[in-house]
Amino acid sequence: DSIADRVSAALALRLSPSEKQRISRRPTSDAAAYDLFLNGRYYWNRRSSPGDLRRAIEFYSQAVARDPQFALAYSGLADALAVQGVFGVRPPAEVYPQAMQAAERALELDPDLAEAHATRGHIRLNFRHDWQGALDDYDEAIRHDPRYAGARMWRGFWLVFAGRGEEGLAELQSARDLEPDSLVFAVNHARALYWTRHYDAAAEQLARVLEVDPANGLARTLQASVLVQLGRFDEALQIL
């Protein structure tokens, strides 16, 4: 907090009230809960296998058990639960309501939390099929934190699903620009390239991901689908 105050003063920054609030916000005063949250975020940022999601949920659950006022950890828990539903790791009807409950709890504790708005939008779109509600949440998340890449990624998917493919790809590229080292964002960008029939670009991007992480299950599966569309059937069969 002290460093943030001194940097903003030295640069003569004119911060809005919401920006000042964001700088001074302390997610939790429990160091152990924060450590658990960081472990959860580590596995969430990997999320290339069902095991990563389970570990993320375990750590986030322990974090909110230690500090029931820890909004960011509730938001992380909602993320990991919801994505279990996306990939069929657990029945969607079982995990999405739990995810929504965690996201709503995060917003009760911190109504300005960008992560929680984005997560609620993700659940509204994928489980409730509430298209406008989802877009409103994504826009609200970006309003609170324009640099939160997760909101831009999910908003990009929304645009692709709505048939606005090039706009969606631009939004997904902005997410990648914000998190250039994230393999998850790279794979999701490739997924949108595949959906919008940019097969060569998707193949090139997936090849780069698999250079870094050859065991990435999401990238491997998507690569097989892309190769089918390119007519490279033998290679796709080998991967599958």
Side-chain angles (χ1 to χ4, degrees):
D1 293 348
S2 173
I3 291 168
D5 286 342
R6 281 183 286 165
V7 167
S8 60
L11 295 175
L13 297 178
R14 291 188 176 183
L15 301 176
S16 68
S18 65
E19 287 170 333
K20 288 178 182 176
Q21 183 185 19
R22 199 157 68 235
I23 286 175
S24 64
R25 181 184 291 145
R26 183 174 296 164
T28 178
S29 56
D30 186 323
Y34 193 68
D35 191 51
L36 290 165
F37 165 77
L38 290 178
N39 278 284
R41 178 155 281 186
Y42 168 77
Y43 284 104
W44 164 247
N45 284 334
R46 283 170 53 99
R47 64 181 185 280
S48 64
S49 72
D52 290 335
L53 292 173
R54 283 194 294 270
R55 293 291 283 156
I57 289 167
E58 288 170 12
F59 281 114
Y60 285 140
S61 297
Q62 292 174 49
V64 298
R66 276 197 66 94
D67 181 1
Q69 306 301 307
F70 195 171
L72 200 54
Y74 277 109
S75 179
L77 178 60
D79 280 336
L81 286 166
V83 171
Q84 280 194 324
V86 170
F87 290 111
V89 177
R90 290 167 63 191
E94 176 186 316
V95 289
Y96 273 118
Q98 294 177 37
M100 180 60 88
Q101 187 176 14
E104 294 282 11
R105 176 60 179 152
L107 288 168
E108 281 176 22
L109 294 166
D110 186 352
D112 298 333
L113 187 62
E115 288 88 339
H117 279 289
T119 303
R120 187 171 67 178
H122 179 66
I123 298 164
R124 280 177 162 171
L125 178 61
N126 288 283
F127 186 60
R128 295 186 174 175
H129 309 297
D130 175 5
W131 288 74
Q132 188 57 51
L135 184 61
D136 290 345
D137 260 331
Y138 298 146
D139 289 343
E140 188 72 2
I142 292 167
R143 185 176 72 81
H144 287 297
D145 185 357
R147 297 188 58 79
Y148 179 50
R152 294 195 175 275
M153 178 186 70
W154 282 330
R155 190 176 188 276
F157 278 168
W158 188 101
L159 290 165
V160 171
F161 297 157
R164 295 159 61 181
E166 296 309 310
E167 290 178 72
L169 289 173
E171 193 75 274
L172 283 152
Q173 183 60 57
S174 71
R176 289 206 62 208
D177 292 342
L178 290 166
E179 297 280 355
D181 296 328
S182 170
L183 296 182
V184 170
F185 286 134
V187 173
N188 281 332
H189 188 204
R191 190 180 304 282
L193 288 166
Y194 167 72
W195 286 334
T196 52
R197 304 181 184 181
H198 296 286
Y199 301 126
D200 288 316
E204 184 181 332
Q205 189 148 292
L206 289 167
R208 288 198 296 268
V209 170
L210 290 165
E211 249 182 66
V212 178
D213 182 11
N216 191 304
L218 293 179
R220 270 284 173 233
T221 307
L222 181 57
Q223 186 188 39
S225 299
V226 171
L227 291 172
V228 167
Q229 295 301 325
L230 290 171
R232 294 158 61 181
F233 304 118
D234 290 341
E235 292 172 74
L237 278 171
Q238 188 176 6
I239 290 169
L240 291 168

